Amino acid sequence: MSDYITRLKERRANIWEQTKELLDTAEARGGDQANLTAEEEQTYQRLNADLDAIDARAKEMADAEQRTKDADEAFRALLEREPAPEARQNQEKGEVEKVRAWLTGQSGSRSYDVRPDKALPLDARALSKLTAAAGANTVPISFYNRLVQHMIEVSGILAAGPTVLRTATGEQMQIPKTTAHSANAGIVAEAAQLPANEPTFGQVSLDAYKYGFTLQVSHELANDTAV
């Protein structure tokens, strides 16, 4: 708002300087305002209209500022009055929420002012959740209804980082493998023929097996569990 007022004031000063320059030009010709040319008269009327508009806007802003001050004074007087019982209850709830927000760190403030002279009483107690009687009985308990399954990795095979093959059914899988590698390599002279030697291949079968156990659940547990 202050920047707007500054620009408005600068604009009025600029228009006023243009108006004075126009009148000074007419006076230098040996005339007065009545001897302005038609074009100068139009310019003079336009500048005066701009001045009137700026003055009216400044008056409106001054009136609005005064109304704001009057409204602030009225609200301050109303707030200083003794609140009604309903308003007092809402105020007490608001104070409770402020204390709770400060205690839990939600307010972001590192301090909280305790004023015994306020209209609302405030009692100080050394309470905690360490014991049931000191406050733990007032804290509700929530239950997470998702089971976190633990994993056991003690197999030597899994520790060796094997390749795990998954099939859609339990059929047998044939895995190709080599049974012998070339072992007749030797020194060969330049441009001499290399001896031929091929590896041999075979197959190994991987079978699927079923591992199972029985988990017995009582009818009562099935009805009452939250998981």
Side-chain angles (χ1 to χ4, degrees):
M1 180 63 74
S2 60
D3 293 340
Y4 177 75
I5 295 176
T6 302
R7 292 196 302 269
L8 197 66
K9 184 177 180 181
E10 293 176 353
R11 181 183 174 189
R12 190 187 190 284
N14 186 23
I15 295 175
W16 176 243
E17 291 297 330
Q18 295 181 34
T19 304
K20 290 198 302 181
E21 183 180 356
L22 185 64
L23 296 178
D24 292 342
T25 301
E27 185 179 359
R29 291 200 306 263
D32 52 14
Q33 179 180 346
N35 295 326
L36 293 174
T37 63
E39 183 178 356
E40 290 174 342
E41 181 67 25
Q42 291 180 359
T43 303
Y44 179 77
Q45 296 297 333
R46 178 177 57 80
L47 293 175
N48 274 278
D50 292 342
L51 289 175
D52 293 339
I54 294 176
D55 293 341
R57 177 59 59 85
K59 185 177 183 305
E60 291 176 357
M61 295 177 63
D63 294 341
E65 184 177 358
Q66 186 61 40
R67 287 197 302 270
T68 301
K69 291 181 179 180
D70 296 340
D72 291 341
E73 289 295 329
F75 283 121
R76 184 182 60 80
L78 291 173
L79 292 174
E80 290 178 353
R81 295 180 181 177
E82 183 68 21
E86 296 81 3
R88 185 181 180 87
Q89 293 178 359
N90 294 334
Q91 189 175 0
E92 291 177 354
K93 293 181 180 179
E95 290 296 327
V96 171
E97 293 302 325
K98 289 180 181 179
V99 174
R100 188 191 304 275
W102 174 68
L103 290 174
T104 58
Q106 297 177 0
S107 64
S109 176
R110 302 183 62 181
S111 62
Y112 181 81
D113 293 334
V114 179
R115 301 180 181 178
D117 57 341
K118 284 187 175 181
L120 297 177
L122 183 62
D123 296 334
R125 295 289 186 269
L127 302 179
S128 68
K129 296 193 301 179
L130 296 178
T131 59
N137 285 333
T138 66
V139 180
I141 298 176
S142 299
F143 184 78
Y144 182 63
N145 61 347
R146 295 291 186 274
L147 183 64
V148 179
Q149 186 176 11
H150 69 287
M151 300 182 66
I152 302 176
E153 295 185 359
V154 296
S155 172
I157 297 178
L158 291 178
T163 300
V164 179
L165 304 177
R166 301 184 183 274
T167 59
T169 60
E171 73 273 10
Q172 188 183 67
M173 296 185 64
Q174 297 295 332
I175 307 298
K177 68 173 183 177
T178 59
T179 58
H181 294 284
S182 174
N184 295 327
I187 298 175
V188 179
E190 182 179 355
Q193 184 178 1
L194 294 176
N197 199 334
E198 292 83 13
T200 57
F201 302 96
Q203 285 186 347
V204 61
S205 298
L206 295 184
D207 295 319
Y209 301 94
K210 175 181 177 180
Y211 293 85
F213 64 91
T214 299
L215 176 63
Q216 296 181 348
V217 179
S218 68
H219 182 73
E220 290 79 8
L221 178 60
N223 288 333
D224 297 339
T225 181
V227 178

